């Protein structure tokens, strides 16, 4: 049965608030408390949907005598979860419209439908999570509300993991990214962004219970929530850092601000990019200079005569090195979205080929060639690089490049930390977010990079075409930045770090499987308890 409008409207608005929490339009800052508060609205409605109200007259859930018909069905829970997630995801990556319509030439109505379809499809993970949550406790009204919060956290975490991994994964805007600042940030080096999301989901479910709980239980519940929020702060004080300094490096991060509608156009954007980036690379005096994704938008053999040879000669000297975004390959072997590393003493140019490709932008999913044919997006088919590729060693630092939204997949970056003695000391992201205009996508991507810095306690250098070009330290703080949509070079010093965080150690060995296993174990126990309650 269809849910009445008031619960639907409340979770729709809460979903939009969840999107805002990751990066507030205008300031670009995350709001950790809004992420928890907005998710608690869904939790409140799910409690009512289950036919229980948080009267908290006892330690268990109480039957509500005023249940509407739709509230007795798992379909009501699934509907609310789907509405919340669809609003949240549309509000998070609405800027895909810009890439498809403004730069891809797709008709505006089709671009809107494409964004809605993607959000609605990904929201099915959360609809399933809410339906499973309903099933697990609706048959057992005696479920303790504190245990129900753990069940909700487990099902929600499974939905986040599925969105982040299945069908190549698209975890952009996951709830944990709202916590690059705030108390839960301290959990990052232990459990990563999905672990933070699980703690936040637990807190969101606990929060509505504080409204009408008896004083004794109110104090206990509030105390438990405070402890969970304060523990990472205490751990940060007791264990200042899992990593130690590996020295400093002077860097220059280039931001060319080449308009996306001209970037691959001969005579305009291509010439502008070759001229500006070429001059900046030749003139830089930093120990390491980084030019963003496809800064040089032509294959090396297509560059003007002497251009590539002059760059290589410039970085054969003993003082300087460069990482440069450029496409590589040929028609026979395929093309790659790559980073080339230039430094003294090379017998051949070092390269990093992007591993995690963007659907539709860098590869065509099966049966979707017709969709790509509707747009005019250059370089639409790339070959995938290996997962763990050689690091770029320079001046005592081990640099790990990643391209564009690859830093969204911390578990893949973690593969390079399997050997702590050879783990990266500095991470480098080369991006081109100009596809999405002057939108909140720039700010959201910055929060993603900050989370990676927190998880691995490594600095992150970001060189981008239009922003955010920044230096992030190992504590996730932005210590230097260029204004967005400007042309310039960000010069500064970065401190490399050695040593593994707990998260780096276990994710390098096991990936995200420990989180999958823990969440599934909770559901197995919950299902067993529900079966006993029915018998």
């Amino acid at each position: 049965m269809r849910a009445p409008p008031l619960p639907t409207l409340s979770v729709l608005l809460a979903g939009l608030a969840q999107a805002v929490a990751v990066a507030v339009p205008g300031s670009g800052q995350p709001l950790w408390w809004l992420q928890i508060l907005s998710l608690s609205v869904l939790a409140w409605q799910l409690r009512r949907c289950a036919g229980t109200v948080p009267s908290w007259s006892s330690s268990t859930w109480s039957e509500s005598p005023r249940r509407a018909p739709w509230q007795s069905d798992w379909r009501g829970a699934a509907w609310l979860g789907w509405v919340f997630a669809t609003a949240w995801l549309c509000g998070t990556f609405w800027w895909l419209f810009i890439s498809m319509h403004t730069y891809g030439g797709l008709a505006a109505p089709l671009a809107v439908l494409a964004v809605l379809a993607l959000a609605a499809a990904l929201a099915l993970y959360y609809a399933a999570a809410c339906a499973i949550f309903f099933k697990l406790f609706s048959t057992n009204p005696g479920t303790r509300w504190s245990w129900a919060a753990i069940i909700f956290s487990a099902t929600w975490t499974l939905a986040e993991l599925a969105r982040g991994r299945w069908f190549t994964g698209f975890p952009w805007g996951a709830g944990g990214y709202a916590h690059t600042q705030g108390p839960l940030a301290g959990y990052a080096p232990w459990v990563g962004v999905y672990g933070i999301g699980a703690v936040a989901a637990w807190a969101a479910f606990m929060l509505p219970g504080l409204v009408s709980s008896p004083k004794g239980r109110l104090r206990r519940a509030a105390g438990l929530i405070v402890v969970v929020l304060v523990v990472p702060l205490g751990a940060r004080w007791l264990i200042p850092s899992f990593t130690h300094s590996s020295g400093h490096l002077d860097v220059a991060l280039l931001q060319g601000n080449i308009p996306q509608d001209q970037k691959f156009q001969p005579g305009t954007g291509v010439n502008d990019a070759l001229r500006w980036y070429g001059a900046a690379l030749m003139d830089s005096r930093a120990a390491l200079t980084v030019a963003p994704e496809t800064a040089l938008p032509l294959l090396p053999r297509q560059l003007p005569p002497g251009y590539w040879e002059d760059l290589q000669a410039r970085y054969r000297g003993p003082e300087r090195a460069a990482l440069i975004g450029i496409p590589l390959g040929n028609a026979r072997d395929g093309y790659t979205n790559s980073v080339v590393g230039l430094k003294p003493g090379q017998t051949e140019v070092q390269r990093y080929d992007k591993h995690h490709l963007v659907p539709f932008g860098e590869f065509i999913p099966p049966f979707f060639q017709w969709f790509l044919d509707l747009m005019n997006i250059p370089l639409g088919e790339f070959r995938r690089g290996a997962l763990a590729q050689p690091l770029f060693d320079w001046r005592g630092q081990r640099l790990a490049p990643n391209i564009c939204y690859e830093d969204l997949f911390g578990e893949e970056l973690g593969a390079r930390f399997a050997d702590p003695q050879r783990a990266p000391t500095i991470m480098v992201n080369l991006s081109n977010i100009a596809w999405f205009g002057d939108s909140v996508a720039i700010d959201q991507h910055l929060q993603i990079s900050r989370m990676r810095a927190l998880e691995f306690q490594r600095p992150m250098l970001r060189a981008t075409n239009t922003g955010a070009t920044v230096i992030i330290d190992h504590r996730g703080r932005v210590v230097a930045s260029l204004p967005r949509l400007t042309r310039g070079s960000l010069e500064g010093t970065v401190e490399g770090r050695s040593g593994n965080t707990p998260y780096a150690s276990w994710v390098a060995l096991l990936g995200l499987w420990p989180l999958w296993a823990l969440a599934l174990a909770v559901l197995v126990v919950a299902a067993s308890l529900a079966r006993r309650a029915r018998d």
Side-chain angles (χ1 to χ4, degrees), residues 231-249:
V231 159
L233 299 178
R236 187 180 300 181
W237 178 74
L238 293 172
I239 310 173
S241 180
F242 294 103
T243 62
H244 56 272
S245 177
S246 60
H248 295 77
L249 188 66

Side-chain angles (χ1 to χ4, degrees), residues 248-500:
H248 295 77
L249 188 66
D250 294 331
V251 299
L253 310 179
L254 306 184
Q255 179 175 289
N257 195 35
I258 309 297
Q260 189 59 44
D261 56 354
Q262 301 177 21
K263 183 172 174 59
F264 297 101
Q265 297 299 319
T268 55
V270 170
N271 289 358
D272 190 17
L274 295 182
R275 181 174 56 253
W276 189 82
Y277 281 114
L281 286 163
M282 296 296 287
D283 294 341
S284 176
R285 296 294 181 266
L288 175 71
T289 304
V290 185
E293 178 186 15
T294 60
L296 306 184
L298 299 177
L299 298 168
R301 67 175 181 272
Q302 297 172 327
L303 293 169
Y307 188 99
W308 188 238
E309 291 75 13
D310 289 345
L311 278 179
Q312 289 180 287
R314 170 69 178 82
Y315 288 96
R316 287 197 190 103
E319 300 297 328
R320 295 172 184 86
L323 293 171
I324 306 170
I326 186 173
L328 298 176
N330 54 60
R332 183 190 63 188
D333 301 324
Y335 298 96
T336 57
N337 188 357
S338 300
V339 176
V340 296
L342 305 178
K343 65 180 180 179
Q346 288 179 321
T347 56
E348 60 181 32
V349 171
Q350 188 169 336
R351 62 187 285 179
Y352 168 81
D353 300 328
K354 188 175 183 182
H355 168 73
H356 203 116
L357 304 180
V358 181
F360 304 107
E362 293 173 325
F363 78 95
I364 306 170
F367 311 114
F368 278 94
Q369 178 64 53
W370 63 271
F371 183 72
L372 195 67
D373 291 342
L374 295 174
M375 295 183 286
N376 180 29
I377 296 181
L379 303 175
E381 189 73 25
F382 281 113
R383 179 167 51 86
R384 189 185 308 274
L387 176 59
Q389 300 176 50
L391 302 177
F392 186 71
D393 292 317
W394 179 240
R395 292 282 189 90
Q397 304 297 333
R398 297 182 294 273
L399 296 106
N402 59 84
I403 300 175
C404 198
Y405 93 145
E406 279 192 307
D407 65 343
L408 187 56
F409 302 91
E411 65 279 8
E412 294 181 356
L413 301 189
R416 298 179 176 184
F417 289 79
D419 180 1
Q421 302 304 315
R422 288 295 303 163
T425 59
I426 299 172
M427 296 185 290
V428 186
N429 180 263
L430 300 87
S431 292
N432 175 30
I433 306 297
W435 285 107
F436 312 117
D438 184 14
S439 71
V440 73
I442 294 175
D443 305 305
Q444 292 169 348
H445 198 188
L446 175 58
Q447 302 311 321
I448 291 167
S449 293
R450 293 180 65 192
M451 181 58 70
R452 299 292 86 83
L454 287 167
E455 289 172 342
F456 297 105
Q457 288 190 354
R458 292 296 193 278
M460 176 77 82
L461 304 177
R462 286 178 48 86
T464 71
N465 181 23
T466 56
T469 296
V470 300
I471 299 173
I472 304 171
D473 71 8
H474 68 284
R475 298 182 182 89
R477 302 176 303 186
V478 176
V479 296
S481 64
L482 279 179
R484 61 205 289 173
L485 301 178
T486 60
R487 177 172 290 182
S489 175
L490 176 63
E491 297 181 355
T493 300
V494 61
E495 180 189 46
R497 306 288 294 188
S498 296
N500 274 7

Side-chain angles (χ1 to χ4, degrees), residues 40 43-44 46-48 50 52-63 133 136-138 140-154 201-226 228 522 526 529:
S40 72
W44 174 271
L46 288 176
R47 291 169 186 259
R48 298 179 62 83
T52 56
V53 294
S55 61
W56 317 112
S57 56
S58 68
S59 61
T60 61
W61 293 51
S62 302
E63 285 285 341
F133 172 69
L136 286 175
F137 72 76
S138 63
N140 184 14
T143 301
R144 290 181 178 271
W145 63 277
S146 54
W147 172 237
I150 296 175
I151 300 173
F152 177 75
S153 174
W202 173 86
F205 196 91
M206 294 282 287
L207 194 59
L210 301 181
V211 175
S212 53
S213 176
K215 289 184 178 180
R217 292 193 178 89
L218 173 62
R219 286 193 296 268
R220 290 196 293 272
L224 186 59
I225 293 174
V226 169
V228 169
V522 169
L529 294 176

Side-chain angles (χ1 to χ4, degrees), residues 9-35:
L9 179 61
S10 67
V11 297
L12 187 149
L13 294 176
L16 294 176
Q18 181 92 171
V20 170
V22 174
V24 178
S27 71
Q29 295 300 306
L31 296 177
W32 65 271
W33 56 267
L34 182 60
Q35 190 274 325

